[in-house]
Amino acid sequence: AQKVTQAQTEISVVEKEDVTLDCVYETRDTTYYLFWYKQPPSGELVFLIRRNSFDEQNEISGRYSWNFQKSTSSFNFTITASQVVDSAVYFCALRAGGTSYGKLTFGQGTILTVHP
Amino acid sequence: GAGVSQSPSNKVTEKGKDVELRCDPISGHTALYWYRQSLGQGLEFLIYFQGNSAPDKSGLPSDRFSAERTGGSVSTLTIQRTQQEDSAVYLCASSLGAGGPAHEQYFGPGTRLTVT
């Protein structure tokens, strides 16, 4: 069975602060994929990043960076110099390889509020 | 290009009535998924289509829920004899395929269902 845990239910920061959203996953599959999605107040889930289990290279995209560590089963997401527009619910998700047919297992989400 | 679209955006129905929710995936995407987002349960997988077939229906909560997909494109999720616990946002997603590493799922805006 797959499981994703986002222990932080809500985070509140002031603009320009850095913030890290934690994600811990469980799976018995050796091949799997990890995702982060953003859900702004408008409600639509927006794909941010995919990471394959066989690629532990960290990734940076502008103010966003992701730290994937298989040893601790974590896939954390850092926003540098946060902005009010970053306020949203962020979901970490796991998709197993093999015959899982691609369905995503989501964490409970972290509500991020960035105050001006 | 056009993203995933869903209709209606909002649906209010009386307990016991049937409802149909529609999803138009991104053109060319062979895989289609239905998820449900509710306060208590988070984001849950319901059903997956590859073409017009549904190899994974494991997330459908009861036999009151059914779905079909026609022409490898549009999908309809039907809930019969709606109950108050069916109130949720129903999200549709599509991807190029299901098993490959690059097959990110792109989500529609959702249908908010309220059962009174």
Side-chain angles (χ1 to χ4, degrees):
Chain A
Q2 330 292 328
K3 185 177 179 182
V4 177
T5 302
Q6 294 179 253
Q8 304 149 308
T9 306
E10 290 190 56
I11 300 177
S12 182
V13 299
V14 176
E15 215 169 13
K16 297 185 183 175
E17 281 186 39
D18 299 347
V19 57
T20 296
L21 310 181
D22 298 333
C23 173
V24 174
Y25 62 91
E26 294 176 32
T27 180
R28 291 184 179 175
D29 290 85
T30 54
T31 300
Y32 52 90
Y33 309 94
L34 295 161
F35 303 81
W36 276 95
Y37 283 85
K38 174 182 180 180
Q39 189 174 42
S42 60
E44 194 159 338
L45 277 164
V46 177
F47 165 76
L48 294 178
I49 189 171
R50 167 185 48 82
R51 177 57 71 211
N52 308 330
S53 57
F54 44 86
D55 179 6
E56 283 193 75
Q57 231 179 0
N58 292 325
E59 185 156 338
I60 298 175
S61 175
R63 296 184 297 107
Y64 295 170
S65 62
W66 292 269
N67 184 310
F68 175 34
Q69 292 197 339
K70 287 179 77 170
S71 60
T72 56
S73 297
S74 65
F75 185 43
N76 297 338
F77 173 29
T78 297
I79 302 174
T80 303
S82 59
Q83 300 176 2
V84 172
V85 293
D86 296 327
S87 297
V89 184
Y90 290 86
F91 290 94
C92 180
L94 168 69
R95 173 165 70 86
T99 59
S100 70
Y101 300 118
K103 71 181 181 186
L104 295 172
T105 298
F106 286 89
Q108 287 298 100
T110 297
I111 302 170
L112 174 65
T113 304
V114 181
H115 299 281
Chain B
V4 178
S5 61
Q6 293 185 246
S7 61
S9 54
N10 277 287
K11 177 73 176 178
V12 180
T13 189
E14 291 179 357
K15 178 181 170 182
K17 296 283 179 71
D18 298 350
V19 295
E20 283 189 354
L21 312 180
R22 176 187 168 109
C23 172
D24 283 87
I26 293 172
S27 178
H29 280 194
T30 62
L32 186 148
Y33 305 80
W34 284 97
Y35 294 86
R36 179 168 73 172
Q37 185 173 22
S38 57
L39 276 175
Q41 301 299 322
L43 269 158
E44 307 171 277
F45 166 80
L46 297 178
I47 187 169
Y48 152 69
F49 286 92
Q50 181 60 45
N52 293 333
S53 301
D56 189 355
K57 307 178 184 180
S58 62
L60 294 178
S62 76
D63 58 8
R64 297 186 294 104
F65 287 72
S66 63
E68 65 173 12
R69 189 178 184 194
T70 55
S73 180
V74 172
S75 176
T76 303
L77 177 68
T78 301
I79 308 173
Q80 295 179 311
R81 305 180 303 281
T82 52
Q83 303 294 313
Q84 288 188 329
E85 62 261 28
D86 299 334
S87 296
V89 176
Y90 290 82
L91 294 165
C92 177
S94 70
S95 65
L96 275 174
H103 294 159
E104 292 86 32
Q105 294 177 29
Y106 294 89
F107 283 79
T111 294
R112 181 176 296 277
L113 175 65
T114 303
V115 181
T116 61

